[in-house]
C-alpha cells in the first residue's frame, strides 16, 4: 500500500523494445527515489508475448496479482510478429493489454502531445505551423467502443459492435472537462455523429455534462476533419475528448506531430488514483535489441504516475524538466538533429536520470 513516501509499482516490460525502454525508465526512477528520499518497490512480472512463451498465457495469474497488489502499473509494450498468428482468442494484445484495461476499469486514457521548443524542428510540420510549440491533451475513452463490443469472426462474415453507454460517455466527459479547467478551458469532442449511432450518443452526453462546466468552451468536430485540423492548425486544440478507436488513431497522428511516437506518454486511469502508465507506441519489433528506441515516452509515462497515482505533480514536473535538459544535449536516432550527440536508449535514460 502507498504511504506518502513508499509506493509499489508493478513493472511489466513486455515485448520488443519494452524491456529496453523500461530499463531506461527504471534508471530515472532510481534517481527520483534517491533525490526525494522515496521508496519505490517494484513487482516485476511478465506480460504479452513474453508471458505467453513462458506461461502459455499473455496475462498470467501472478501478473494480475502483482498489479492488484501495486499502487500503479508501469507497462512497456506488448505484441510482435512472433505472436501475430495466434488464434483470435489468444491474441496477446487483447488477452493482456485490453484485459488489464477492463479489469481495472481504466476508462480514461490521457495522451499529451506536446511540442516543446527544444524539439520544434523535430516536428514534420512547417515552422510557420508549429510556431512556438503546441500542447494538446487527448482524452481517449478506453473501456468501450468496438474494442469491447460484441464481435463475431466467421469465414464469410465478421463484425465488431461499436457500443457506447450513457455512463461511459458521461464519465470520460467529466474527466476531460476537469482536465480542461486546469488548462486553456477548451474541449473538442471528436466523433462521427453524422453517421454512427454510438457517436450520436457519445456527443449527446458530452454535451449534457458540459452544462456543469459553463467556464469551458465545447466544440464539436468530426473525426475525418479532426485528422486534418491537427496538421493544419494544431494550436486550435486544447483538450480532445473522443471515443476509443478514434482516440487510438488520432493519438498516433498527434504523436508524430511532436516529432516521434517515441515521445508520447500515456496514463490509463480509473477515475480514482489507480492507473496503468504505458507509452502510446507499440513494441517496435524491428527496433528491438538495437538500443535505438526512444525511451522518453516510457519515462514520461512513469512521470505521469507521480501526478495521477502518487499526488506528486512536483516530481512529474521535475522529470519533465530533466527530459528537456537531456534533449538539449543528446538524442536518440528518431529525433536526432545536427549539433546534438546521438545516444542509445540506455544512454538517453542515464542522461535524463543525471538531470533529475
Ligand atoms: P509501433 O508503435 O510498435 O511502431 C510504429 C512505428 O513507430 C515504427 O516505425 C517504430 O519503429 C516506431 N516507434 C515506436 N516506438 C518507438 C520508440 N520508442 N522510439 C522510436 N521509434 C518508435 O506500432 P506497430 O508497428 O503498429 O506495432 C508493433 C506491435 O506493437 C504490434 O504487435 C502491435 O499490436 C503492438 N502494439 C502494442 C501497443 C502497446 O503495448 N501499448 C501499442 C501499439 C502497438
Ligand atoms: C494503443 C495500442 C493498443 C490499442 C493495441 C495494441 C491494443 O495501439 O495503446 O494505442 O489499440 O489501444
Ligand atoms: Mn495505438
Amino acid at each position: 500500500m502507498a504511504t506518502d513516501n513508499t509506493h509499489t509499482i508493478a513493472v511489466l516490460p513486455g515485448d520488443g523494445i519494452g524491456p529496453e525502454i523500461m530499463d531506461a525508465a527504471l534508471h530515472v526512477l532510481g534517481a527520483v527515489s534517491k533525490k526525494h528520499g522515496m521508496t519505490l518497490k517494484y513487482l516485476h512480472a511478465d506480460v504479452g508475448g513474453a508471458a505467453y512463451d513462458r506461461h502459455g498465457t499473455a496475462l498470467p495469474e501472478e501478473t494480475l496479482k502483482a498489479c492488484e497488489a501495486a499502487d500503479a502499473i508501469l507497462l512497456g509494450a506488448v505484441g510482435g510478429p512472433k505472436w501475430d498468428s495466434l488464434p483470435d482468442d489468444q491474441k496477446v494484445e487483447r488477452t493482456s493489454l485490453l484485459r488489464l484495461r477492463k479489469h481495472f476499469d481504466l476508462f480514461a486514457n490521457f495522451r499529451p502531445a506536446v511540442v516543446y521548443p527544444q524539439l520544434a524542428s523535430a516536428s514534420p510540420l512547417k515552422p510557420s505551423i508549429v510556431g512556438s510549440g503546441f500542447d494538446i491533451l487527448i482524452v481517449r475513452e478506453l473501456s468501450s467502443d468496438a474494442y469491447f463490443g460484441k464481435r463475431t469472426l466467421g469465414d464469410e462474415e465478421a463484425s465488431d459492435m461499436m457500443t457506447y453507454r450513457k455512463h461511459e460517455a458521461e464519465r470520460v466527459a467529466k474527466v476531460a472537462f476537469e482536465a480542461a479547467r486546469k488548462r486553456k478551458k477548451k474541449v473538442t469532442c471528436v466523433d462521427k455523429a453524422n453517421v454512427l449511432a454510438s457517436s450520436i450518443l457519445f456527443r449527446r452526453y458530452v454535451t449534457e455534462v458540459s452544462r456543469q462546466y459553463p467556464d469551458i468552451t465545447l466544440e464539436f468536430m468530426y473525426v475525418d476533419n479532426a485528422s486534418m485540423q491537427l496538421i493544419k492548425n494544431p494550436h486550435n486544440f486544447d483538450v480532445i475528448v473522443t471515443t476509443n478507436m478514434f482516440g487510438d488513431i488520432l493519438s498516433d497522428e498527434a504523436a508524430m506531430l511532436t516529432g516521434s511516437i517515441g515521445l508520447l506518454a500515456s496514463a490509463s486511469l480509473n477515475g480514482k488514483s489507480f492507473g496503468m502508465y504505458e507509452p502510446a507506441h507499440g513494441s517496435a519489433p524491428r527496433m528491438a535489441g538495437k538500443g535505438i528506441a526512444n525511451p522518453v515516452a516510457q519515462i514520461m509515462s512513469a512521470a505521469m504516475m507521480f501526478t495521477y497515482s502518487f499526488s506528486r505533480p512536483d516530481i512529474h514536473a521535475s522529470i519533465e524538466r530533466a527530459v528537456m535538459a537531456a534533449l538539449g544535449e543528446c538524442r536518440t536516432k528518431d529525433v536526432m538533429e545536427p549539433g546534438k550527440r546521438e545516444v542509445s536508449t540506455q544512454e538517453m535514460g542515464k542522461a535524463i536520470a543525471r538531470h533529475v
Side-chain angles (χ1 to χ4, degrees):
M1 250 349 266
T3 64
D4 274 359
N5 248 338
T6 304
H7 303 281
T8 305
I9 305 166
V11 175
L12 280 47
D15 307 318
I17 60 171
E20 299 164 52
I21 54 177
M22 184 64 82
D23 190 50
L26 293 178
H27 264 295
V28 175
L29 290 181
V32 165
S33 72
K34 225 185 229 168
K35 180 177 170 193
H36 297 274
M38 187 177 255
T39 306
L40 298 175
K41 293 188 186 154
Y42 304 127
L43 304 174
H44 296 270
D46 292 329
V47 75
Y52 182 86
D53 288 349
R54 269 180 231 142
H55 313 266
T57 161
L59 187 64
E61 204 49 40
E62 308 91 273
T63 301
L64 201 54
K65 290 244 162 68
C67 295
E68 279 170 348
D71 304 312
I73 306 168
L74 186 62
L75 184 131
V78 301
K82 185 171 176 203
W83 306 281
D84 278 348
S85 48
L86 286 177
D88 179 51
D89 62 349
Q90 292 174 35
K91 286 251 177 271
V92 302
E93 291 85 347
R94 289 186 46 240
T95 57
S96 62
L97 200 57
L98 298 198
R99 237 188 102 200
L100 280 167
R101 290 174 183 171
K102 199 62 175 179
H103 183 84
F104 291 104
D105 200 22
L106 307 173
F107 67 86
N109 182 216
F110 282 23
R111 296 193 162 183
V114 184
V115 168
Y116 299 104
Q118 293 90 326
L119 277 176
S121 61
S123 171
L125 296 177
K126 282 188 221 162
S128 60
I129 294 178
V130 176
S132 56
F134 52 81
D135 178 351
I136 302 169
L137 175 66
I138 298 183
V139 179
R140 169 188 177 194
E141 200 291 326
L142 202 65
S143 67
S144 199
D145 205 351
Y147 279 70
F148 296 100
K150 284 199 195 91
R151 68 203 292 282
T152 62
L153 177 53
D155 287 332
E156 302 282 331
E157 190 180 298
S159 63
D160 301 275
M161 182 101 86
M162 288 177 121
T163 304
Y164 263 105
R165 294 163 198 85
K166 177 178 182 229
H167 80 275
E168 292 167 342
E170 285 173 344
R171 65 182 184 174
V172 77
K174 199 162 180 289
V175 166
F177 285 111
E178 292 291 338
R181 237 178 209 165
K182 298 184 192 135
R183 298 168 48 98
K184 290 187 222 121
K185 298 192 165 45
K186 179 173 173 188
V187 171
T188 307
C189 174
V190 173
D191 58 44
K192 189 74 186 170
N194 48 352
V195 177
L196 300 175
S198 54
S199 277
I200 294 174
L201 183 129
F202 189 84
R203 185 183 279 212
R204 181 188 303 156
Y205 291 110
V206 169
T207 309
E208 243 176 49
V209 170
S210 77
R211 302 210 176 95
Q212 298 160 38
Y213 297 88
D215 52 323
I216 311 290
T217 305
L218 174 63
E219 271 187 3
F220 301 98
M221 201 178 278
Y222 297 129
V223 62
D224 44 355
N225 184 26
S227 72
M228 175 175 80
Q229 295 302 331
L230 272 170
I231 294 171
K232 192 170 166 229
N233 186 14
H235 291 273
N236 177 48
F237 297 98
D238 178 23
V239 174
I240 290 176
V241 66
T242 188
T243 52
N244 200 345
M245 175 106 81
F246 298 152
D248 178 40
I249 298 165
L250 291 181
S251 58
D252 267 32
E253 182 187 355
M256 196 57 228
L257 299 183
T258 72
S260 167
I261 192 159
L263 299 168
L264 196 89
S266 106
S268 305
L269 307 168
N270 70 353
K272 301 181 192 98
S273 65
F274 192 81
M276 178 156 80
Y277 301 86
E278 43 170 334
H281 62 70
S283 59
R286 281 195 281 184
M287 279 191 164
K290 297 187 181 151
I292 54 172
N294 191 335
V296 166
Q298 182 80 67
I299 290 165
M300 285 308 299
S301 300
M304 290 175 85
M305 178 168 73
F306 287 92
T307 292
Y308 298 108
S309 285
F310 305 157
S311 301
R312 290 295 302 267
D314 57 316
I315 297 182
H316 179 173
S318 84
I319 298 174
E320 190 168 35
R321 280 195 300 274
V323 167
M324 290 311 117
L327 284 170
E329 299 162 358
C330 55
R331 303 281 174 92
T332 45
K333 199 184 173 91
D334 54 325
V335 285
M336 185 56 195
E337 58 183 45
K340 306 287 185 264
R341 191 159 47 87
E342 188 172 325
V343 294
S344 68
T345 309
Q346 202 188 35
E347 287 163 340
M348 193 70 213
K350 285 186 178 161
I352 295 168
R354 269 198 305 277
H355 281 284
V356 159

